[in-house]
Amino acid sequence: MFGGTGEGVGGAGELERCLGLVKKVELLHAYLRSNDLSKATEVYGELRRRGYKLDIFAYNMFLDALAKDGKVDLAYKVFEDMRRKYCEPDEYTYTILVRMTGKIGKPDQSLAFFQEMLSKGYSPNLIAYNTMIQVLAKNRMVDKTLYLFNKMVENDCHPNEFTYSLILNVLAVEGHLGKLEEIVETSNKYMNKSIYAYLVRTLSKLGHADEAHRLFCNMWNFHDRGDRDAYISMLESLCNAGKITEALDLLSKIHEKGISTDTIMYNTVFSALGKSKQIFHLQDLYEKMKQEGPSPDIFTFNILISSFGRAGRVDEAVKIFDELENSNSKADIISYNSLMNCLGKNGDLDEAHMRFKEMREKGFSPDVLKWLADCLMRCLLKAEGCCPNIVTYNILLDCLEKCGRTAAAVDLYAKLKQQGLAPDSITYSILERLQSVRHRTGKVRRQNPITGWVVSPL
């Protein structure tokens, strides 16, 4: 654990001195284990003044603590002490120094330490290689990163997921993802399902659908069973990139790799089909789902209602909504919202009003109802070819009154008059309710210059 200055050991005094030194070294270890670097440094200073050296384990432990605490200058001094005391640094020593110098932005110094380790005949282990590759990748030194990776493989050091993550990151940042295939080919004997799955998931999350798909095809041909997370990531990536044909193909074949399809997979593809308005494929896939499973959930129904509505297929949207009501799931605010948008945009405001009343009966919150009233208003104003009559206006006035939107109701009544429509008894009854609300809230009734606030046909 330690060595003296070359003096002979003899007598009780020398023995006592040695025992005291042992206790000092043990104290140093204890301080390092408890992360008390200040006390550890004091003990090390005392040992150094007495001319004693530590063993390689103690030196490495102290160096590691100094490096992690950013005590770079002191770490250099301890390293030089090691050399002066003829304690040879080992792989772990150099790995600590590589990590430390890389952390402070000195990759050239890191490389120098790594080369020194090689020159001493050491064979770097996985941690040493990963540490050096991390420094190079962090500094975007692509060529040196790839060179070291190739050396790692040549020396039969098995790269792990962290190794590939470092390589993938620097290639993506520097726009060299085309070199990933070369990396995979170089290390083919180490490429297992887990690493393939990691690369596919990461590429998909980064939005590199083409690269992910190429790698995914390699994985598909290479392994008998698939990785569920990787397959879901690939499916999402294809859908996000608009590669719907490939997504449909993958969904239809995924069972070949021992993976059961679920609603998450189907919903991912349904959403992509709906956004691209590929209604024919949407209907086919939904029929397949109903026949073969899994059972649709609330998200499935909501996606379908929205998709049919977006494509102007009102009858199909209403049909899906009715299927939802008869299923184990129950319509939520999103279901109603999607259906209301569909009905409103296509001018079917009577049906929209019926659904609106249905929502109120189911106890949806007033805030939501206000939002939907606004939605109805927008639909009325934007619907192409929609010629609202007095019934339509009464529906909207009723919605606005029940939501407490008095000002909006007055404006809508003005619009009704401007279009030359004659108010009926229902219109006036709504206006009476609006007036009573204004009185209850203590507001002064102001005559509208257009409506005149005629509140009764009598």
Side-chain angles (χ1 to χ4, degrees):
M1 180 175 288
F2 57 88
T5 58
E7 302 172 359
V9 177
E14 185 67 19
L15 180 60
E16 185 178 345
R17 192 172 70 87
C18 289
L19 290 174
L21 185 58
V22 169
K23 290 181 180 179
K24 287 289 184 182
V25 173
E26 290 178 347
L27 189 60
L28 174 66
H29 286 188
Y31 284 139
L32 290 173
R33 282 193 294 269
S34 63
N35 295 316
D36 192 340
L37 190 55
S38 177
K39 292 290 186 182
T41 303
E42 288 181 14
V43 173
Y44 176 77
E46 185 177 344
L47 290 169
R48 185 172 180 271
R49 285 192 296 273
R50 292 189 181 188
Y52 289 94
K53 72 174 183 179
L54 306 174
D55 63 5
I56 187 64
F57 175 78
Y59 272 122
N60 284 345
M61 193 174 179
F62 191 37
L63 274 173
D64 190 45
L66 291 170
K68 289 178 178 176
D69 200 49
K71 301 288 194 301
V72 177
D73 292 339
L74 184 53
Y76 278 132
K77 289 179 181 179
V78 172
F79 181 59
E80 291 304 317
D81 282 349
M82 288 180 67
R83 288 173 159 169
R84 280 196 295 269
K85 299 296 183 182
Y86 303 104
C87 182
E88 274 296 312
D90 61 9
E91 299 161 60
Y92 188 55
T93 313
Y94 285 110
T95 301
I96 293 169
L97 296 172
V98 167
R99 184 188 301 116
M100 180 183 74
T101 49
K103 188 176 180 180
I104 62 175
K106 294 184 177 181
D108 292 336
Q109 184 63 61
S110 300
L111 273 173
F113 280 127
F114 193 82
Q115 291 293 343
E116 185 177 323
M117 174 175 60
L118 295 176
S119 68
K120 289 181 178 294
Y122 292 117
S123 297
N125 58 18
L126 175 63
I127 295 175
Y129 271 118
N130 278 352
T131 302
M132 189 67 245
I133 288 174
Q134 185 175 25
V135 172
L136 296 172
K138 179 183 177 182
N139 288 274
R140 301 185 178 184
M141 302 165 77
V142 177
D143 292 338
K144 290 182 179 180
T145 302
L146 298 185
Y147 175 81
L148 187 59
F149 177 82
N150 289 331
K151 283 296 180 183
M152 179 182 186
V153 174
E154 285 177 17
N155 293 328
D156 205 28
C157 184
H158 191 161
N160 61 5
E161 283 188 21
F162 183 63
T163 317
Y164 286 100
S165 72
L166 296 171
I167 300 292
L168 181 58
N169 184 64
V170 71
L171 292 180
V173 169
E174 293 299 299
H176 294 298
L177 277 177
K179 295 183 179 181
L180 183 60
E181 289 186 43
E182 178 186 332
I183 290 294
V184 171
E185 186 177 346
T186 299
S187 57
N188 190 50
K189 64 179 179 179
Y190 300 122
M191 290 294 295
N192 55 36
K193 183 174 68 175
S194 175
I195 291 174
Y196 266 120
Y198 167 78
L199 292 174
V200 168
R201 289 196 307 269
T202 305
L203 286 167
S204 297
K205 289 176 182 176
L206 292 173
H208 300 290
D210 291 336
E211 291 81 358
H213 196 220
R214 280 196 294 270
L215 205 61
F216 180 83
C217 291
N218 289 342
M219 181 175 69
W220 183 277
N221 295 324
F222 194 68
H223 296 283
D224 293 332
R225 293 188 64 83
D227 180 278
R228 184 181 195 81
D229 290 340
Y231 282 38
I232 291 177
S233 294
M234 190 69 255
L235 199 61
E236 291 174 346
S237 180
L238 292 171
C239 289
N240 291 336
K243 298 178 179 294
I244 310 301
T245 302
E246 291 87 343
L248 285 167
D249 184 55
L250 174 57
L251 186 64
S252 67
K253 293 180 178 178
I254 204 167
H255 66 279
E256 296 176 10
K257 295 298 180 178
I259 297 176
S260 300
T261 53
D262 57 22
T263 52
I264 294 176
M265 299 176 188
Y266 270 94
N267 290 346
T268 300
V269 181
F270 281 139
S271 182
L273 289 169
K275 289 176 182 176
S276 59
K277 296 185 180 181
Q278 297 189 37
I279 300 303
F280 176 76
H281 290 304
L282 186 74
Q283 290 173 316
D284 276 357
L285 187 62
Y286 180 52
E287 290 302 320
K288 179 182 177 182
M289 185 184 195
K290 288 196 292 186
Q291 292 172 10
E292 302 177 5
S295 299
D297 60 12
I298 183 62
F299 300 104
T300 311
F301 287 115
N302 286 346
I303 292 168
L304 294 173
I305 294 168
S306 177
S307 298
F308 284 123
R310 189 182 293 113
R313 307 286 285 270
V314 182
D315 291 342
E316 285 90 341
V318 173
K319 180 182 175 184
I320 296 296
F321 188 90
D322 292 340
E323 287 184 25
L324 165 59
E325 289 286 76
N326 294 321
S327 71
N328 292 328
S329 303
K330 292 301 176 185
D332 59 13
I333 189 59
I334 297 175
S335 316
Y336 277 105
N337 174 32
S338 298
L339 186 62
M340 294 279 286
N341 277 330
C342 173
L343 294 168
K345 287 177 181 177
N346 289 275
D348 196 346
L349 294 178
D350 289 339
E351 177 74 10
H353 185 238
M354 183 188 76
R355 300 293 180 177
F356 184 84
K357 291 173 65 178
E358 193 175 293
M359 279 192 299
R360 292 189 63 223
E361 292 168 359
K362 290 187 176 182
F364 287 100
S365 70
D367 288 341
V368 173
L369 293 180
K370 288 179 183 179
W371 188 90
L372 288 171
D374 288 339
C375 178
L376 273 174
M377 286 290 296
R378 290 195 300 273
C379 292
L380 172 65
L381 298 173
K382 294 180 181 179
E384 295 181 5
C386 176
C387 298
N389 55 24
I390 190 61
V391 175
T392 302
Y393 276 104
N394 284 343
I395 291 171
L396 291 176
L397 284 169
D398 185 48
C399 289
L400 292 170
E401 183 271 326
K402 286 182 170 62
C403 294
R405 304 292 297 277
T406 306
V410 172
D411 292 340
L412 185 64
Y413 182 65
K415 184 176 179 62
L416 176 159
K417 296 284 285 183
Q418 284 176 332
Q419 293 190 358
L421 293 174
D424 59 15
S425 59
I426 295 175
T427 316
Y428 289 118
S429 67
I430 295 170
L431 293 176
E432 285 179 346
R433 293 202 303 272
L434 285 168
Q435 266 197 307
S436 66
V437 169
R438 291 166 70 91
H439 280 303
R440 286 198 303 272
T441 56
K443 293 182 180 179
V444 178
R445 185 173 65 175
R446 177 174 57 86
Q447 186 180 50
N448 186 284
I450 299 176
T451 66
W453 266 109
V454 178
V455 297
S456 170
L458 304 176

